[in-house]
Amino acid sequence: MNKITLLGTGCPSPNHIRYGPSILLEYDGLKFLFDSGSGVTQRLSQLDVKPSELDSVFITHMHSDHIVDLYQVYISGWHTGRERPFVVYGPRGISEHFEGIISAYDKELSNRVKWEKRPNEKGLEYKIIEIGDDLDVSKDNVQIKAIEVDHHPVQPAYGYKIILENEKRIIISGDTRYSENLIYEAEGADVLVHEVFIELKFNATRMSEQTVNNIKDYHTSPEDVGKVASKAGVKKLVLTHFVPPVFDEEQLKRRIAEYFSGEIIVGSDLMSLKL
């Protein structure tokens, strides 16, 4: 079935209901993963999808909650029989990051390869492509384009535009504050999957007042999410990457509905939308 699935809808705060941010696109037998938050391979397993089946991985930005399980996706793909190189697209810095992970695991992996004698060593090869200004990946009936968004001081940061059959369009915002460029790229989209910052209650034992202000500053409030969806004229708004992971869902929808009259879906882990 052609669908997009929210594998993880959480944020850096650990939560057993909402795992780390990650999205799976399945279309005409192709499988693309967007971000690799904590627990992504466990969520794939719940869908009966092997990491070895992934055609490629797309990373939005270099925050830990979006890349923490990238090595797990890589190595579990080999464990489950991948026979082709592991392919990752991501922002500047992703290549150095991945090489660092490989270096850290070099001794462990070398010993494992020698001892386990698996027949698919080609599955350990990898290709890391850093996104330029014009990333445009096409495979069969799927086209994936990078959208630059505003998550300053994390630069660059991207969302993704997915075009199916040269017609249906799905937009993934990645992490961003209110972004005019995202609105432009999302115009008339069938689905907009957008992050949302709800609140962050002050706790003196683990944050300062500046912590709250700065985290709020580079994410998107419910009101601004509504404005983005309305200005872009999207058909369906799907919410993900909730800060915090536990909140009043109906109140959130009401806040957004003040600005956006279309369909609003509060995402949850393993929620799928047919395409």
Side-chain angles (χ1 to χ4, degrees):
M1 181 175 70
N2 294 334
K3 60 184 177 178
I4 188 167
T5 302
L6 306 180
L7 298 176
T9 59
C11 62
S13 298
N15 183 271
H16 66 285
I17 296 172
R18 297 187 184 278
Y19 285 14
S22 188
I23 296 171
L24 176 68
L25 169 69
E26 298 175 85
Y27 196 80
D28 285 356
L30 299 171
K31 294 181 176 67
F32 300 105
L33 185 69
F34 296 86
D35 283 335
S36 55
S38 179
V40 59
T41 52
Q42 284 74 21
R43 290 303 195 206
L44 287 171
S45 177
Q46 287 179 272
L47 297 176
D48 199 27
V49 173
K50 297 177 182 177
S52 58
E53 298 172 11
L54 298 173
D55 290 273
S56 52
V57 179
F58 293 83
I59 300 298
T60 58
H61 65 291
M62 297 298 294
H63 258 161
S64 61
D65 54 320
H66 294 256
I67 57 176
V68 67
D69 269 9
L70 187 58
Y71 184 81
Q72 173 66 6
V73 176
Y74 163 73
I75 199 64
S76 61
W78 176 61
H79 287 156
T80 54
R82 185 178 58 238
E83 296 181 340
R84 59 185 185 275
F86 181 60
V87 179
V88 178
Y89 296 88
R92 184 176 62 250
I94 190 66
S95 181
E96 180 182 4
H97 172 77
F98 192 76
E99 291 289 352
I101 298 174
I102 293 296
S103 177
Y105 280 98
D106 178 66
K107 185 174 181 180
E108 186 274 342
L109 183 55
S110 296
N111 286 338
R112 185 182 293 275
V113 170
K114 290 176 183 177
W115 181 254
E116 295 184 3
K117 302 294 182 183
R118 295 179 186 268
N120 59 321
E121 279 199 43
K122 190 172 183 64
L124 288 173
E125 296 178 10
Y126 54 88
K127 185 177 181 182
I128 313 298
I129 301 101
E130 296 200 344
I131 296 171
D133 294 333
D134 57 352
L135 177 77
D136 189 336
V137 178
S138 296
K139 190 166 185 179
D140 298 340
N141 295 318
V142 179
Q143 181 183 16
I144 300 171
K145 301 176 68 175
I147 302 170
E148 189 166 357
V149 295
D150 184 4
H151 196 43
H152 180 83
V154 181
Q155 294 178 308
Y158 297 101
Y160 289 100
K161 176 187 283 188
I162 304 162
I163 304 171
L164 307 174
E165 306 280 358
N166 293 316
E167 183 178 352
K168 184 168 287 190
R169 288 175 296 155
I170 299 108
I171 307 295
I172 296 172
S173 74
D175 280 13
T176 183
R177 54 170 62 87
Y178 179 94
S179 169
E180 290 288 352
N181 190 51
L182 181 66
I183 292 170
Y184 172 78
E185 295 289 350
E187 185 177 357
D190 295 275
V191 180
L192 170 61
V193 182
H194 204 294
E195 68 126 89
V196 61
F197 176 94
I198 302 157
E199 64 177 344
L200 192 60
K201 293 181 179 179
F202 179 71
N203 183 326
T205 63
R206 61 188 183 90
M207 61 182 70
S208 66
E209 293 288 354
Q210 197 65 47
T211 305
V212 177
N213 292 334
N214 284 358
I215 293 175
K216 179 180 179 180
D217 180 64
Y218 66 1
H219 288 291
T220 313
S221 69
E223 291 75 17
D224 278 349
V225 171
K227 293 173 185 177
V228 168
S230 180
K231 286 188 176 183
V234 302
K235 298 173 184 175
K236 183 178 298 186
L237 173 63
V238 180
L239 304 169
T240 189
H241 196 286
F242 300 98
V243 182
V246 179
F247 54 91
D248 185 325
E249 295 188 10
E250 290 305 314
Q251 183 184 68
L252 173 61
K253 289 177 73 172
R254 285 195 298 270
R255 290 174 66 181
I256 294 173
E258 290 183 20
Y259 299 90
F260 177 62
S261 60
E263 184 178 3
I264 302 169
I265 297 175
V266 177
S268 58
D269 284 23
L270 299 177
M271 174 186 287
S272 292
L273 301 173
K274 294 181 182 180
L275 300 174

